[in-house]
Amino acid sequence: MSDQPHPRFGADGLVTAVVQDATTSEVLMVAHMNREAWEATLRTHRATFFSRSRQRLWEKGETSGNAMHVRAARIDCDGDAVLLQVDADGPACHTGERTCFFTDVADVIDGAIVDTKVD
Amino acid sequence: MSDQPHPRFGADGLVTAVVQDATTSEVLMVAHMNREAWEATLRTHRATFFSRSRQRLWEKGETSGNAMHVRAARIDCDGDAVLLQVDADGPACHTGERTCFFTDVADVIDGAIVDTKVD
């Protein structure tokens, strides 16, 4: 038995994982973890997720080489989300962007008028 | 039709929403949004989510008074997660903590040895 806090995996066996750059605090990506991914992440200090589309574990960077070295991990108040603070070897996004969150919703910025008809 | 980018809501009608302090970049909480919550957030500039447990919209702070004023919104590369950068009127967490991610998984920090037997 470990006395470490651990996530509360959902009915689908998953928790949401938010990844943040440990130095700049930029939010890099969101993915999912099952228990095996969580344990692998703690054991190896490399961010490891569960791919829902491929239904298997994937260590970030296993193909791209852009691994994420985990400096700290936190769990939220109800245990269904975790936060990893990482040093990344390269871009988080498969598009080559530093963060997956590269798409601005510009109208929100500076309080510009928003067209709410999004469809 | 708006030319704004918008999220790709899942089969359950939801996307994951990560909330970050616009000033400190601290990650404050993770919640979910349906289309109505997303549109309300853009329209009002107040973070509004969909409660899965209560199956209804909730504007953050509607009971606590700790609203979150949205300064920027971003969408991730595959559209199933959004990032809100906010100025919060008070603690994000219902426990009174500033962030919901107040639980450290201490063994990861500084590369200490990890006990992987979490059960």
Side-chain angles (χ1 to χ4, degrees), chain A residues 8-104:
Chain A
R8 194 169 57 81
F9 297 95
D12 57 3
L14 302 177
V15 290
T16 302
V18 179
V19 183
Q20 180 178 39
D21 186 292
T23 303
T24 66
S25 296
E26 187 172 35
V27 175
L28 300 176
M29 59 181 287
V30 167
H32 295 84
M33 285 181 163
N34 62 3
R35 181 180 296 273
E36 194 181 351
W38 171 250
E39 291 180 4
T41 297
L42 294 192
R43 186 174 63 246
T44 64
H45 295 188
R46 288 182 176 230
T48 304
F49 306 108
F50 181 77
S51 167
R52 293 179 298 176
S53 56
R54 290 173 290 166
Q55 289 286 304
R56 69 166 182 87
L57 284 201
W58 58 288
E59 184 181 292
K60 181 70 181 169
E62 65 187 16
T63 53
S64 67
N66 299 325
M68 292 176 157
H69 307 275
V70 178
R71 299 305 174 209
R74 292 171 169 274
I75 301 174
D76 81 347
C77 53
D78 58 3
D80 64 358
V82 303
L83 175 65
L84 304 181
Q85 292 167 325
V86 307
D87 294 331
D89 284 342
C93 191
H94 70 288
T95 62
E97 298 273 353
R98 197 176 59 244
T99 167
C100 293
F101 289 95
F102 59 83
T103 303
D104 265 320

Side-chain angles (χ1 to χ4, degrees), chain A residues 76-78, chain B residues 26 28-29 60 64-66 68 88-103:
Chain A
D76 81 347
C77 53
D78 58 3
Chain B
E26 187 172 37
L28 300 175
M29 61 181 287
K60 181 70 182 170
S64 67
N66 299 325
M68 291 176 157
D89 284 343
C93 192
H94 70 286
T95 62
E97 299 273 354
R98 196 177 59 246
T99 168
C100 293
F101 290 95
F102 59 83
T103 303

Side-chain angles (χ1 to χ4, degrees), chain B residues 63-83:
Chain B
T63 54
S64 67
N66 299 325
M68 291 176 157
H69 307 274
V70 178
R71 299 304 175 209
R74 292 172 169 273
I75 301 174
D76 80 348
C77 54
D78 59 2
D80 64 357
V82 302
L83 174 64

Side-chain angles (χ1 to χ4, degrees), chain B residues 35-53:
Chain B
R35 182 180 297 272
E36 193 180 350
W38 171 250
E39 292 181 3
T41 297
L42 294 193
R43 187 174 61 246
T44 65
H45 296 188
R46 289 182 175 231
T48 305
F49 306 108
F50 181 77
S51 168
R52 293 179 299 177
S53 57

